[in-house]
């Protein structure tokens, strides 16, 4: 029997999902399992790594059963994961020493601030492309080792292993035979030299992380061993791995310099492929590994928006508009043209390129005839304005990556709205390609796995399996869009934490 199906495991922050694809990239079946969140203290977020592995096996077996297929028909398994979340486990027993610390966890913020005060950030950024922030894995790893007596000594003696969720799941699926991660996940740890493509002794010393803890770093399409036959009803080769945003970049077919994607969920991640050039950002955007294939790394600029779809949720819950995002859209479409209302949704601060965690939200430009319709419209526009912020910054950081055919490929919850996607194109003055298939993260992992098992002849053939897109070109008056964006920038300046406030 010919093995032509690809299995994808998408281990996310709130759920673990498995999807079975055929060789053309079409979904055959899907199954998801929710993931419990643990909040032991203020700013602390944890996951049970054992629960994650159990859920992974459950959904992988379940999706094969749902599709009426078996392991022998699967050519390869691809894994994608929530980035930066990290766990430490016992090499001998395979048991975690404690819960995994999630990317959202902020408990190591004082450590990052102390390192920044010592002047460490410029060198860290030069090596990793990242900023000193508890978002990334290094300070989390050090915290775990210091959280229990004897753990650091055991780590230095080689008794413990560590990894992000891809590494953990692969280690468990292979029965402890493979301790490996890919270059995209490694590039999010603050321990990986993205230029030399290796763990940095300098960074390991700075963050106090023993090298013996860390996995081997491999390509995104590579040999990650095979699953234990008793887990999935037969052995399946693991041949693709990538962090979730890089997997989505592949799933959107963004394999050439200048191609970019944005995923609109609670927040938004925008990645621009810069090819083999690791562009340095003057706007404090992140420089990260986009993919590594055949030993050659390509890079991306990454910008994060803290609040995108969450602004619609605020309209629902905070302003009492029932019916989810669909009702917020219906309301927004009744707004008066040119109403002049601007929402800066800095409910948890401002992300890139502003990086102002102490900024707070503002609703500006209201008059006596402002209604909920105008506020709802401003919530959608805020996502588009923030996207333009990132695109404008990326144009400055990587001007050669932008060509006349530049298109922003979008996925995620807000992209389901063709109306929003057109608004996005109009405000950002950039064509928007709306994906017909939303699970581009899982698809990207499957495409990497297809490359790894040679189901695809090359990266171009793999990218050809991406979903079709509906293209929206910028419409309306460009001058009016530019004026609206200028008003947005003025509004941002008003709510910044360093803005001068006059009381009279």
């Amino acid at each position: 029997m010919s093995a032509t199906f690809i299995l994808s495991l998408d281990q996310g922050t709130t759920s673990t999902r498995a999807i079975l694809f055929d060789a053309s990239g079409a979904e055959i079946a899907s199954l998801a399992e929710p993931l419990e969140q643990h909040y032991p203290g203020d700013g602390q977020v944890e996951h049970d790594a054992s629960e994650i592995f159990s859920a992974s096996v459950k959904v992988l077996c379940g999706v094969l059963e749902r599709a009426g297929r078996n392991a022998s028909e699967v050519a390869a398994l691809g894994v994608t994961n929530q980035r930066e979340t990290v766990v430490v486990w016992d090499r001998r027993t395979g048991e975690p020493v404690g819960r995994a610390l999630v990317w959202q966890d902020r408990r190591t913020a004082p450590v990052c601030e102390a390192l920044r005060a010592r002047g460490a950030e410029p060198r860290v950024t030069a090596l990793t492309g990242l900023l000193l922030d508890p978002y990334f894995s290094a300070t989390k790893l050090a915290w775990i080792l210091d959280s229990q007596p004897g753990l650091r000594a055991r780590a230095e003696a080689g008794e413990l292993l560590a990894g992000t969720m891809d590494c953990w799941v692969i280690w468990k699926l292979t029965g402890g035979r493979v301790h490996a991660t890919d270059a995209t996940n490694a590039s999010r740890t603050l321990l990986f030299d993205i230029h030399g493509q290796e763990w940095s002794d300098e960074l390991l010393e700075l963050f106090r992380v023993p090298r013996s803890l860390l996995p081997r770093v491999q390509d995104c399409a590579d040999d990650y061993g095979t699953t234990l036959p008793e887990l999935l009803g037969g052995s399946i080769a693991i041949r693709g791995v990538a962090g979730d945003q890089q997997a989505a970049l592949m799933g959107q077919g963004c394999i050439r310099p200048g191609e970019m994607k944005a995923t609109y969920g609670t927040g938004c991640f925008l990645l621009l492929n810069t090819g083999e050039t690791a562009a340095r950002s003057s706007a404090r955007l992140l420089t990260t590994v986009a993919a590594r294939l055949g030993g050659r790394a390509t890079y991306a600029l990454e910008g994060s928006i803290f609040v995108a779809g969450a602004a619609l949720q605020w309209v629902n819950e905070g302003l009492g508009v029932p019916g989810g995002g669909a009702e917020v859209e219906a309301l927004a479409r009744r707004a008066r043209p040119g109403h002049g209302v601007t929402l800066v949704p800095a409910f948890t601060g401002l992300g890139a390129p502003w990086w102002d965690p102490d900024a707070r939200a503002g609703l500006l430009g209201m008059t006596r005839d402002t209604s909920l319709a105008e506020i709802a419209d401003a919530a959608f526009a805020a996502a588009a304005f923030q996207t333009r912020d990132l695109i404008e910054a990326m144009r400055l950081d990587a001007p050669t990556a932008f060509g006349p055919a530049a298109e922003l490929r979008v996925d995620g919850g807000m992209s389901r709205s063709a109306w929003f996607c057109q608004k996005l194109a109009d405000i950002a003055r950039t064509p928007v390609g709306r994906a017909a298939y939303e699970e581009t993260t899982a698809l990207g992992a499957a495409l990497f796995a297809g490359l790894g098992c040679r189901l695809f002849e090359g990266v171009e053939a793999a990218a050809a399996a991406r979903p079709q897109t509906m293209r929206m070109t910028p419409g309306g008056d460009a001058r009016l869009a530019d004026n609206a964006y200028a008003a947005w920038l003025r509004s941002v300046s008003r709510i910044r934490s360093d803005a001068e406030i006059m009381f009279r």
Side-chain angles (χ1 to χ4, degrees), residues 6 15 40 134 277 287 317-318 339 359 366 404 415 448:
I6 308 173
S15 69
T277 300
T287 304
E317 298 174 359
H339 53 73
M366 292 188 293
S415 72
F448 279 128

Side-chain angles (χ1 to χ4, degrees), residues 138 192 236 293 321 365 402 413 431 439-440 456-457:
F192 190 67
I236 298 176
L293 297 169
V321 176
F402 280 88
E439 299 295 341
T440 54
F456 301 116
E457 292 182 0

Side-chain angles (χ1 to χ4, degrees), residues 29-41:
S30 175
L31 185 65
E33 182 78 6
L35 175 60
E36 184 177 358
Q37 315 294 302
H38 301 274
Y39 305 100

Side-chain angles (χ1 to χ4, degrees), residues 23-82:
S24 70
E27 179 183 312
I28 305 300
S30 175
L31 185 65
E33 182 78 6
L35 175 60
E36 184 177 358
Q37 315 294 302
H38 301 274
Y39 305 100
D42 184 33
Q44 300 182 357
V45 190
E46 299 176 351
H47 285 161
D48 183 336
S50 295
E51 178 193 353
I52 285 173
F53 174 64
S54 296
S56 298
V57 173
K58 180 178 181 179
V59 295
L60 287 169
C61 290
V63 78
L64 288 174
E65 181 179 357
R66 178 171 289 186
R69 302 292 176 179
N70 58 61
S72 66
E73 297 175 85
V74 178
L77 167 65
V79 178
T80 184
N81 57 289
Q82 50 168 318

Side-chain angles (χ1 to χ4, degrees), residues 141-181:
L141 264 177
W143 187 93
I144 293 173
L145 295 182
D146 293 332
S147 67
Q148 300 175 35
L151 278 188
R152 181 168 289 280
R154 291 181 63 199
E156 291 170 350
E159 297 176 12
L160 304 180
L161 298 176
T164 43
M165 290 301 99
D166 60 309
C167 180
W168 161 250
V169 169
I170 290 168
W171 195 87
K172 295 288 283 186
L173 286 174
T174 61
R177 293 194 300 270
V178 177
H179 184 220
T181 190

Side-chain angles (χ1 to χ4, degrees), residues 135-379:
Y135 175 42
F136 305 109
S137 310
T139 54
K140 292 180 171 67
L141 264 177
W143 187 93
I144 293 173
L145 295 182
D146 293 332
S147 67
Q148 300 175 35
L151 278 188
R152 181 168 289 280
R154 291 181 63 199
E156 291 170 350
E159 297 176 12
L160 304 180
L161 298 176
T164 43
M165 290 301 99
D166 60 309
C167 180
W168 161 250
V169 169
I170 290 168
W171 195 87
K172 295 288 283 186
L173 286 174
T174 61
R177 293 194 300 270
V178 177
H179 184 220
T181 190
D182 85 296
T184 69
N185 277 296
S187 75
R188 310 297 295 190
T189 61
L190 281 177
L191 299 172
F192 190 67
D193 179 349
I194 63 171
H195 310 287
Q197 289 292 297
E198 60 185 1
W199 299 119
S200 164
D201 288 331
E202 181 180 347
L203 295 172
L204 292 173
E205 181 180 356
L206 177 69
F207 290 105
R208 302 183 306 115
V209 174
R211 178 180 281 272
S212 60
L213 275 177
L214 299 178
R216 181 174 66 252
V217 180
Q218 300 185 187
D219 288 355
C220 298
D222 210 335
D223 183 351
Y224 289 85
T226 57
T227 65
L228 294 176
E230 59 267 30
L231 291 177
L232 307 179
S235 294
I236 298 176
I238 306 171
R239 293 293 183 266
V241 180
D244 54 9
Q245 297 306 317
Q246 285 91 337
L249 195 69
M250 179 63 173
Q252 286 277 31
C254 298
I255 61 173
R256 304 169 191 84
E259 294 179 328
M260 55 185 168
K261 74 91 194 174
T263 299
Y264 292 91
T266 299
C268 173
F269 289 94
L270 196 159
L271 272 72
L272 168 73
N273 188 321
T274 60
E276 295 187 16
T277 300
R280 293 289 299 271
S281 176
S282 60
R284 289 170 64 82
L285 302 181
L286 305 180
T287 304
T288 194
V289 175
R292 197 173 87 186
L293 297 169
R296 298 182 68 177
T298 54
Y299 299 90
L301 281 172
E302 177 176 330
S304 56
I305 295 169
F306 292 164
V307 174
L312 311 185
Q313 186 180 24
W314 171 71
V315 175
N316 286 141
E317 298 174 359
L319 301 184
V321 176
E327 186 54 37
V328 179
E329 179 183 334
L331 186 63
R333 295 177 76 157
R334 298 198 293 270
R336 292 179 290 106
H339 53 73
V341 176
T342 301
L343 170 65
V344 184
F347 301 114
T348 56
L350 285 171
W354 309 107
W355 295 113
D356 188 349
D358 297 319
R360 287 299 175 259
L363 190 58
L364 298 92
M366 292 188 293
T367 60
R368 283 291 299 272
D369 56 355
T370 295
S371 70
L372 282 175
E374 284 73 45
I375 296 173
D377 185 53

